[in-house]
Amino acid sequence: MKAIITLIFLFTLASPLALAKGEYMTQSAFLTQAFGESVPTRQTLWLRGDLKKEVTDLLGHAYGKIRLHYWQQGSTTSWILEQIGKERPITAGFVVDQQRIVQAHVLVFRESRGWEIKRSAFTQQFEFTELTDDNRLSKHIDGITGATLSVNAMNRMAKLALRLDQEVQLTLAHHQTN
Amino acid sequence: MRITKLTNRVLLNWHRQVGLFVAILALNLSITGVLLQHTELFKLDRTYLTSSWLLDWYNYPEPKVSLIQLEQQAVIQVDDQILLGETVVGSSDGPLWGAAATDDFILIGSGYGLIWLTHEGEVIDQMPSPIAEPKATLARTGDQFQIGTDNDWLIADPELADWQPGQAPEQPPLSVEASSFRHVDLPAALSVGVSLERLLLDLHSGRLFGSIGVLLMDLASIGLVLLAISGCWLWLRRR
């Protein structure tokens, strides 16, 4: 009897639903992976005026909040963003260097379907992706059957991270010029 | 020849009667079927119905509702969702415990987090609460938000980035009131209640009316098959 219960328990753990939700990477682990042990101070970027409009156009809807946090060291910026896949927000982290994504990770997945986007085989596709002039990703990202909405959410967040990085670099260049 | 004519007449009468019975149910099957085919387009899975009779019909467990009445609007928590008036502004992993409003902003405390927003319901930021005790509450002094328990208060800087010890607030904290789900006007997009998709699925299968409904839809489906056969038979005979 015990063996049967153990088997049922193991089967439940191995089922896709059990794999689906959860925190895959903490914020501190993500930042350590991005910057090593010396994580820079957190900074804020406000979505106001033209930037807010551009972000709304880019995502197809307004972003969930207007004050965003990021971490910057030289030409590298790191962003933790959220987008709803189908019903619940997906939290993902992006590291952008020289206006190209160098790392992408799913940090928290709350949906019941589409968890396959957490796999490195999927997230590695974003590496060395840039934002084109018409606000598209420079590389084609292969979708995952049954995870279309989660994939779309990741694509939107990747574009947003690249656009926000541009804004930070522009502001920095402006300050340096003055 | 006479037997064949008699058989045809009986079959025609039967075809008409079954057709009438099946027609109404087939109409239901077709309409709900087409709508369900386009769930995304019609936002069926994102539209929730909260009529009292429907919730009673489904034996839907009543969601927990609590609210804090601000000067102009109410902050409402329905299960794990937080609303400002009728706008969903966030979700929470714990109960609503405080809300305060200045001239420009509103701050909501629930679970372990704070939601900072404008009076229009636009979320500025979400952040962890500097105090996460069941007795914690929110208040304000002038344009500054305060968080505290009975005697200890913290006061925030304008960016809500730094909280320092402060005096008791000028405005006393507002109390959290328990309310009934049926007494609050909730937006259709709030994922509480019976989804339109679920209702249409149950209407499509007949489950909305219990085992009798399922039996009727089964009979209608069988009737449709028989109608198709008898229809073809009669058409071929007449040729």
Side-chain angles (χ1 to χ4, degrees), chain B residues 40-213:
Chain B
E40 285 288 324
L41 181 69
F42 295 119
K43 296 180 180 173
L44 302 180
D45 55 344
R46 278 170 280 167
T47 307
Y48 290 83
L49 307 169
T50 52
S51 310
S52 299
W53 69 269
L54 191 67
L55 297 184
D56 288 341
W57 188 269
Y58 271 90
N59 284 326
Y60 188 89
E62 190 148 320
K64 285 181 186 170
V65 177
S66 52
L67 68 87
I68 297 173
Q69 187 63 52
L70 300 173
E71 268 182 37
Q72 292 174 353
Q73 48 201 329
V75 174
I76 307 164
Q77 180 173 30
V78 184
D79 283 344
D80 66 340
Q81 295 182 81
I82 308 285
L83 294 92
L84 179 69
E86 290 197 356
T87 310
V88 181
V89 293
S91 60
S92 170
D93 51 5
L96 176 71
W97 49 261
T102 62
D103 289 344
D104 299 321
F105 305 113
I106 292 170
L107 189 64
I108 300 171
S110 65
Y112 296 108
L114 298 173
I115 305 171
W116 184 25
L117 57 157
T118 64
H119 282 271
E120 288 74 40
E122 189 172 39
V123 177
I124 297 166
D125 204 355
Q126 296 190 23
M127 61 205 91
S129 168
I131 296 179
E133 285 181 27
K135 279 186 179 177
T137 188
L138 288 170
R140 77 171 172 104
T141 295
D143 283 338
Q144 286 179 288
F145 288 111
Q146 288 195 254
I147 185 169
T149 52
D150 292 337
N151 300 315
D152 301 320
W153 286 92
L154 300 175
I155 192 159
D157 69 340
E159 297 266 302
L160 298 194
D162 187 35
W163 296 80
Q164 293 293 330
Q167 300 292 316
E170 282 174 5
Q171 301 282 330
L174 300 165
S175 58
V176 184
E177 296 161 26
S179 181
S180 169
F181 175 60
R182 290 158 204 254
H183 296 154
V184 183
D185 290 329
L186 299 171
L190 187 72
S191 56
V192 169
V194 179
S195 77
L196 195 52
E197 185 184 29
R198 164 92 188 270
L199 179 69
L200 286 174
L201 268 170
D202 290 346
L203 204 58
H204 189 76
S205 64
R207 281 196 178 82
L208 190 65
F209 306 103
S211 48
I212 294 173

Side-chain angles (χ1 to χ4, degrees), chain A residues 75-99:
Chain A
S75 62
T76 307
T77 58
S78 196
W79 304 87
I80 293 178
L81 303 169
E82 282 192 351
Q83 277 290 283
I84 290 175
K86 185 174 169 66
E87 288 174 335
R88 298 278 170 182
I90 299 164
T91 308
F94 294 87
V95 183
V96 185
D97 185 39
Q98 312 273 356
Q99 300 189 8

Side-chain angles (χ1 to χ4, degrees), chain B residues 17-30 220 224 227:
Chain B
Q17 282 164 10
V18 172
L20 202 64
F21 164 74
V22 167
I24 299 162
L25 298 171
L27 211 61
N28 168 50
L29 274 173
S30 310
L224 271 174
L227 276 179

Side-chain angles (χ1 to χ4, degrees), chain A residues 28-44:
Chain A
S28 58
F30 166 68
L31 292 171
T32 306
Q33 200 158 322
F35 298 106
E37 291 304 316
S38 56
V39 176
T41 316
R42 190 178 75 167
Q43 299 186 55
T44 55

